[in-house]
Amino acid sequence: MSSGLSSTCSAAQMIAQDYDGKVFVVDNQRISVTQRRSALDAKMLVDAGKSGQEIYDALMANKMESGIYIMLDTLYYLKKGGRITPAAAALGTLLKLKPVLQIQGEKLDAFAKARTTKQGKTIMIKQIQDDCRDRFGSATGENIHIAMAYTHNLEPAEEFKREVQAVFPDHDIVLQPLSLSVSCHIGPGALAVTATKAITIV
C-alpha cells in the first residue's frame, strides 16, 4: 500500500533487494479499492505478456490517475488518533458536520465539510464527475474505473452505490469494505467513492 499511509511499502522494498531484481515493489500511492484495481491491472498486463519491469513502469506511470473521496460519519476517531484537536471535534459534532476527506497520491487530506449525509454524497459524486472530465479527460466516464468502499455499515453503502450507479449507469461498480489501515482512523459509517483512469495495453 502507499508509502504515504503505511511503512509496509518501505519494508517490502528493502526485502525485494535480496531477490536480484526479480521482485518489483510498486509504490503507486494506492490503497483499498484503488489498490485492488492496480492488482487487476497487473494481472491484465501479465496476461498480455508484459515483463516485470514493463508492468512496474505502467503502474507507476498511472499512479496519480486516481482519486478517493471519503465522507466520515463521526469525528471521534480522528480526535482519538490526534489528527484533529478535541475542540475541533467537539465543534464539528455540535454542528453535525460530515467531513469529506480525499486521498490524492500519498496524503489523506480534508476536502469539504457537509452539513448532512445527503449533501456529503452529492459533493463526492460531483467531484468524481469533475475528475472524470477535468483530470482524466472523459466527461462520460469512459475508460474510468469507478469503485466504492465503506466502513462497517453495509446497508447505507449499498444505498449510496445505487445513487452512484444512477450517475454512471454503464459502469460495473465494485463496493468493498475499506481496508483496516484507513478505517481504524476514521471509524464506522464512512462512505467512499473512487475514480481511476484505466491502463491501456500498448
Side-chain angles (χ1 to χ4, degrees):
M1 64 186 72
S2 170
S3 61
L5 299 172
S6 171
S7 61
T8 56
C9 184
S10 59
Q13 288 171 331
M14 183 172 62
I15 294 169
Q17 294 175 5
D18 296 334
Y19 291 86
D20 302 321
K22 296 177 182 178
V23 175
F24 295 84
V25 178
V26 179
D27 183 18
N28 64 341
Q29 315 302 336
R30 301 294 171 85
I31 193 77
S32 186
V33 288
T34 59
Q35 190 174 38
R36 172 188 179 276
R37 183 67 253 166
S38 290
L40 292 174
D41 287 340
K43 175 65 166 54
M44 174 187 70
L45 293 166
V46 167
D47 292 343
K50 300 298 183 181
S51 68
Q53 184 65 57
E54 288 172 323
I55 295 169
Y56 173 87
D57 291 342
L59 295 177
M60 290 299 289
N62 187 250
K63 77 175 192 174
M64 299 306 293
E65 305 292 348
S66 183
I68 303 176
Y69 300 93
I70 311 169
M71 180 177 63
L72 275 56
D73 188 52
T74 175
L75 295 169
Y76 172 77
Y77 294 89
L78 288 182
K79 180 194 74 173
K80 194 169 184 180
R83 285 168 171 77
I84 59 173
T85 66
L91 180 60
T93 300
L94 179 65
L95 296 175
K96 298 182 179 179
L97 294 178
K98 301 290 184 183
V100 177
L101 309 180
Q102 64 176 334
I103 301 177
Q104 305 286 352
E106 64 182 15
K107 294 182 179 180
L108 177 65
D109 290 322
F111 179 74
K113 296 182 182 71
R115 295 300 299 270
T116 64
T117 297
K118 181 179 179 181
Q119 184 184 39
K121 292 194 289 187
T122 298
I123 288 170
M124 290 192 289
I125 291 172
K126 181 182 183 301
Q127 190 55 45
I128 289 296
Q129 290 176 296
D130 290 348
D131 280 358
C132 288
R133 182 187 65 246
D134 302 332
R135 289 181 60 196
F136 307 140
S138 178
T140 62
E142 186 179 1
N143 295 320
I144 306 294
H145 298 291
I146 307 295
M148 302 179 64
Y150 67 98
T151 58
H152 185 61
N153 302 328
L154 177 58
E155 187 174 340
E158 290 179 330
E159 178 184 342
F160 185 33
K161 180 183 176 182
R162 288 191 288 271
E163 296 174 35
V164 176
Q165 190 75 72
V167 178
F168 298 97
D170 298 326
H171 285 68
D172 182 14
I173 299 176
V174 172
L175 173 67
Q176 292 189 321
L178 268 169
S179 57
L180 290 176
S181 55
V182 176
S183 59
C184 65
H185 296 299
I186 61 179
L191 297 171
V193 60
T194 79
T196 303
K197 189 172 182 180
I199 289 178
T200 55
I201 298 175
V202 179

